[in-house]
Amino acid sequence: MKKGVFIGLLLLGGVLFYTCSMPKEEKKPVEVKADGKPKIVNIINFIRLLEPRSKKITEDVLYQTVVKQLEMMQEYNLRGTFLLQYDALLDSSYQSLLKSLPDSLYEIGGWFEIPQPLVENAGIKWRGRYPWDWHADVGFSTGYSPEEREKLVDVYMEDFKEIFGYFPKSMGCWFIDAHSLKYMYDKYGIVASCNCKDQIGTDGYTMWGGYWNQGYYASVKNAYMPAQNYENQISVPIFRMLGSDPIHQYDNGLGTSHQGVVSLEPVYGDAGGDSTWVNWFFKHFVEGECLEYNYVQVGQENSFTWNNMKKGFEIQIPLLAQLRDEKKIKVETLSESGEWFSKKYKITPATSVTALNDLSGSNQKTVWFNSRFYRSNLLWDNGTLRFRDIHIFDEDMASSYLTERAISNQCIYFTLPFVDGYCWSSAETTAGLWFKAEKNRQEILLNGEKLTATEAEDGTLIVVWKLDDELGTFSIHFDENSMRIDFEGDDDINWYLALNTAENRELPFSSVNGKKVELEFENIDYEIIAEKGKLLISEKYNILQILPDRNSMVLNLSGVGI
């Protein structure tokens, strides 16, 4: 087996959240809930001046969409953030509308997609097909040289200050390259940023394997990659947008190179526009076991128009107001969330997202764990359990856009795979690191109905899985560097973890030698170390196996040189 490659294309638009509780007229960041863990919701709507993909979506339609979003937020006295693309920033109608808003309730910031007026005002030739072009080599900072990016940032910031009297505190986009983000932070003092959720093949943008949801500090070499050390990070928190379904988003489109969207975006009728799904999502958001805090973004770009998002807004906005009044969440602006995060965390914290009850008609449960070193996802599926995803983070892995401009109309960001349940699957085979055993010389899947997640006193996450027929119990401990799995029960159960993948997938494994797996992905070498247990390629099953040592295994997932 040799090195692996991730494939992806597009990425589209979103929604972020942040939660806890406190009186809405106060501006101080995050009061804690009874459990001490803030539940934070950001309502973020970003604004484009025009939509060249549809003649029916006129500038007035886009403007009235923002008016309607604002009216509903005002009706329920909900705070929020509006992020302006440069062409909308220069428009007098948006200027008048947003200048009239009270600073105590609303934040105005920047949306850093790159339209024609910004490029030309920076003295650069426009290469787009339309005055706003969504291709990655034209409509995003990745399409410009580092020197050009600084000019684009300077023009945006100076014109924003000329119009509003101050520099924006928040700058968001589906993706902002590391050079531009650091420049915004160093020169203009932004306190928060936001980028797209993980996705493959959505609108030509792929972001895969990153810090799943919540917020993180990026590497100075790669804005998608969490930094491991303070001195190598851009110290402005980046929050993940769009509110992914923690169970169903990941496998949507499995076996293809293009994911569908299952998120809080109010335009999607089977997710953010469906009351059953929205109530299910927020129940887990508020009640699910999380480390440190939970976060989500709500909102929508005006390009989708009010008629398409109205139903979803009418479901979500009253619910947010109710949860706020019940002191179960905190609704605040993006910059307030960023300021709170920076005061509380000097480096990226370990966090988790759990959903241990599924929607009606499905029978799955999931646990996401993130740290500055790795992310991991467990999926319980009708009694079986597998690691659906494990990706390693390395701050030294430079983005291909760090010093060179993009020459493709697509954008691809990724981290380092150890388990990739999406890219390594096919329509016939579901990839993952499965909990298995050998019985009667046959490999079998272990089964157990009960899965729970709790936080230990030391801040680690513990997932407990009880097997059927009282055969025993697995305890899976996640800390920021490693993962430990212990089993107590029937000594005759010859259990192990087994990595299954579809055939003809290029995998990153270079060598397996008992205590260590060496991997290579995109010319980056990294390794997984078994501090307890054994790593091997099974001669019988021809798959990667991880065997326990006296019913226990410990995997160091902190990577090489980190």
Side-chain angles (χ1 to χ4, degrees):
M1 292 182 285
K2 193 61 180 161
K3 98 175 198 176
V5 168
F6 284 170
I7 293 180
L9 297 167
L10 318 173
L11 156 207
L12 218 168
V15 261
L16 303 168
F17 309 43
Y18 219 131
T19 78
C20 185
S21 63
M22 74 183 231
K24 53 184 177 294
E25 61 270 18
E26 293 186 13
K27 271 189 94 171
K28 66 181 182 182
V30 186
E31 298 281 348
V32 262
K33 253 184 76 182
D35 64 359
K37 298 169 187 175
K39 307 296 192 301
I40 305 163
V41 175
N42 289 164
I43 302 175
I44 301 176
N45 302 302
F46 62 87
I47 303 171
R48 298 188 180 113
L49 178 67
L50 48 84
E51 177 48 80
R53 292 171 290 191
S54 172
K55 292 182 180 180
K56 294 181 180 180
I57 304 177
T58 64
E59 291 184 16
D60 185 62
V61 168
L62 294 174
Y63 176 78
Q64 292 301 325
T65 296
V66 178
V67 170
K68 292 297 186 181
Q69 289 173 328
L70 179 59
E71 286 177 351
M72 182 161 285
M73 293 167 67
Q74 289 175 323
E75 178 182 354
Y76 289 91
N77 201 23
L78 284 168
R79 310 173 65 188
T81 298
F82 290 90
L83 301 180
L84 283 161
Q85 192 167 286
Y86 184 78
D87 50 6
L89 171 69
L90 300 184
D91 185 80
S92 59
S93 296
Y94 288 113
Q95 292 174 16
S96 298
L97 177 67
L98 299 177
K99 281 182 177 181
S100 69
L101 302 179
D103 293 341
S104 59
L105 290 176
Y106 301 102
E107 174 192 12
I108 313 303
W111 183 255
F112 203 58
E113 289 185 33
I114 314 296
Q116 185 172 356
L118 177 56
V119 171
E120 294 180 342
N121 288 350
I124 305 168
K125 183 179 179 180
W126 176 245
R127 295 177 279 108
R129 301 164 297 166
Y130 316 101
W132 168 66
D133 189 333
W134 53 94
H135 281 177
D137 58 338
V138 175
F140 295 86
S141 60
T142 52
Y144 301 85
S145 70
E147 295 76 16
E148 290 173 332
R149 296 170 202 174
E150 292 182 8
K151 292 179 182 179
L152 294 169
V153 172
D154 286 339
V155 170
Y156 187 98
M157 292 295 190
E158 292 298 334
D159 286 352
F160 188 101
K161 185 176 182 181
E162 179 69 23
I163 293 165
F164 287 102
Y166 55 86
F167 293 126
K169 290 184 176 181
S170 299
M171 294 293 290
C173 190
W174 296 140
F175 44 94
I176 299 177
D177 70 281
H179 185 93
S180 297
L181 188 69
K182 188 175 187 301
Y183 187 73
M184 293 173 183
Y185 174 71
D186 289 342
K187 185 171 181 178
Y188 296 101
I190 66 168
V191 301
S193 186
C194 55
N195 65 11
C196 187
K197 68 175 177 61
D198 262 35
Q199 62 182 29
I200 288 181
T202 308
D203 279 354
Y205 323 133
T206 286
M207 304 173 75
W208 193 246
Y211 195 99
W212 199 87
N213 205 54
Q214 322 303 59
Y216 67 98
Y217 292 119
S219 163
V220 294
K221 295 182 179 181
N222 189 332
Y224 182 63
M225 179 74 72
Q228 287 73 59
N229 299 287
Y230 177 81
E231 59 270 21
N232 295 324
Q233 74 183 24
I234 305 170
S235 292
V236 57
I238 302 172
F239 296 97
R240 305 303 303 272
M241 299 182 74
L242 307 185
S244 284
D245 184 315
I247 294 177
H248 302 289
Q249 171 65 59
Y250 190 97
D251 288 339
N252 193 287
L254 201 67
T256 74
S257 61
H258 181 89
Q259 284 187 316
V261 179
V262 191
S263 76
L264 259 177
E265 296 170 82
V267 297
Y268 293 108
D270 56 355
D274 177 74
S275 60
T276 299
W277 185 93
V278 169
N279 280 278
W280 169 84
F281 182 97
F282 276 103
K283 177 178 176 61
H284 289 293
F285 180 75
V286 171
E287 298 178 2
E289 183 62 56
C290 65
L291 300 179
E292 295 295 332
Y293 70 99
N294 213 349
Y295 171 87
V296 75
Q297 177 237 337
V298 180
Q300 191 86 66
E301 68 265 40
N302 60 341
S303 299
F304 277 107
T305 75
W306 181 248
N307 284 342
N308 291 319
M309 68 181 75
K310 179 176 181 288
K311 179 182 177 182
F313 258 81
E314 290 175 343
I315 293 167
Q316 293 183 28
I317 294 300
L319 177 60
L320 293 178
Q322 175 188 335
L323 293 173
R324 175 204 60 194
D325 294 344
E326 293 172 352
K327 302 190 182 302
K328 293 179 178 178
I329 67 171
K330 164 125 172 77
V331 181
E332 64 183 10
T333 66
L334 177 56
S335 64
E336 289 173 324
S337 301
E339 289 169 344
W340 167 80
F341 189 98
S342 296
K343 289 177 182 177
K344 187 169 180 61
Y345 307 112
K346 295 306 177 187
I347 54 177
T348 300
T351 62
S352 63
V353 176
T354 61
L356 300 183
N357 291 288
D358 205 349
L359 288 159
S360 178
S362 184
N363 191 24
Q364 295 180 322
K365 307 172 185 181
T366 201
V367 176
W368 286 91
F369 176 85
N370 302 284
S371 80
R372 57 195 166 114
F373 294 103
Y374 72 99
R375 81 174 192 185
S376 180
N377 176 237
L378 276 171
L379 183 73
W380 180 94
D381 187 357
N382 288 290
T384 66
L385 188 66
R386 71 181 185 270
F387 286 96
R388 185 165 56 172
D389 187 283
I390 300 175
H391 277 77
I392 310 302
F393 303 146
D394 184 350
E395 63 192 15
D396 290 327
M397 182 180 179
S399 163
S400 58
Y401 314 116
L402 181 62
T403 59
E404 302 293 333
R405 75 173 188 88
I407 58 174
S408 168
N409 61 13
Q410 302 173 14
C411 177
I412 299 176
Y413 280 98
F414 43 76
T415 63
L416 302 172
F418 177 52
V419 178
D420 192 322
Y422 189 90
C423 292
W424 299 350
S425 291
S426 68
E428 298 77 27
T429 302
T430 301
L433 189 64
W434 299 77
F435 283 74
K436 293 186 175 183
E438 191 167 281
K439 184 176 182 181
N440 298 325
R441 298 185 179 181
Q442 296 293 319
E443 190 176 57
I444 63 169
L445 290 171
L446 294 172
N447 272 269
E449 287 297 315
K450 190 171 183 181
L451 188 76
T452 60
T454 57
E455 180 181 1
E457 291 183 1
D458 60 358
T460 62
L461 184 71
I462 302 175
V463 177
V464 176
W465 184 40
K466 292 187 176 181
L467 298 182
D468 293 341
D469 302 321
E470 298 184 354
L471 293 177
T473 299
F474 284 97
S475 298
I476 307 162
H477 296 245
F478 296 95
D479 65 40
E480 72 168 4
N481 295 287
S482 62
M483 178 174 68
R484 188 178 89 240
I485 303 175
D486 300 315
F487 177 74
E488 292 185 4
D490 191 333
D491 291 335
D492 293 331
I493 295 180
N494 183 23
W495 70 275
Y496 51 88
L497 300 182
L499 179 64
N500 285 17
T501 69
E503 293 183 359
N504 302 318
R505 292 295 185 268
E506 291 188 62
L507 303 176
F509 305 103
S510 299
S511 68
V512 181
N513 64 8
K515 285 297 181 182
K516 182 167 65 175
V517 176
E518 294 181 339
L519 307 97
E520 180 196 359
F521 179 77
E522 293 297 303
N523 298 316
I524 299 295
D525 296 320
Y526 54 111
E527 62 186 27
I528 307 298
I529 298 172
E531 296 180 349
K532 188 174 183 181
K534 186 177 182 180
L535 296 148
L536 56 86
I537 299 296
S538 167
E539 294 182 5
K540 183 174 181 180
Y541 301 114
N542 193 31
I543 55 177
L544 175 69
Q545 287 183 314
I546 308 175
L547 306 181
D549 177 6
R550 289 169 292 180
N551 277 327
S552 182
M553 63 177 64
V554 178
L555 298 181
N556 186 324
L557 300 172
S558 62
V560 173
I562 295 176

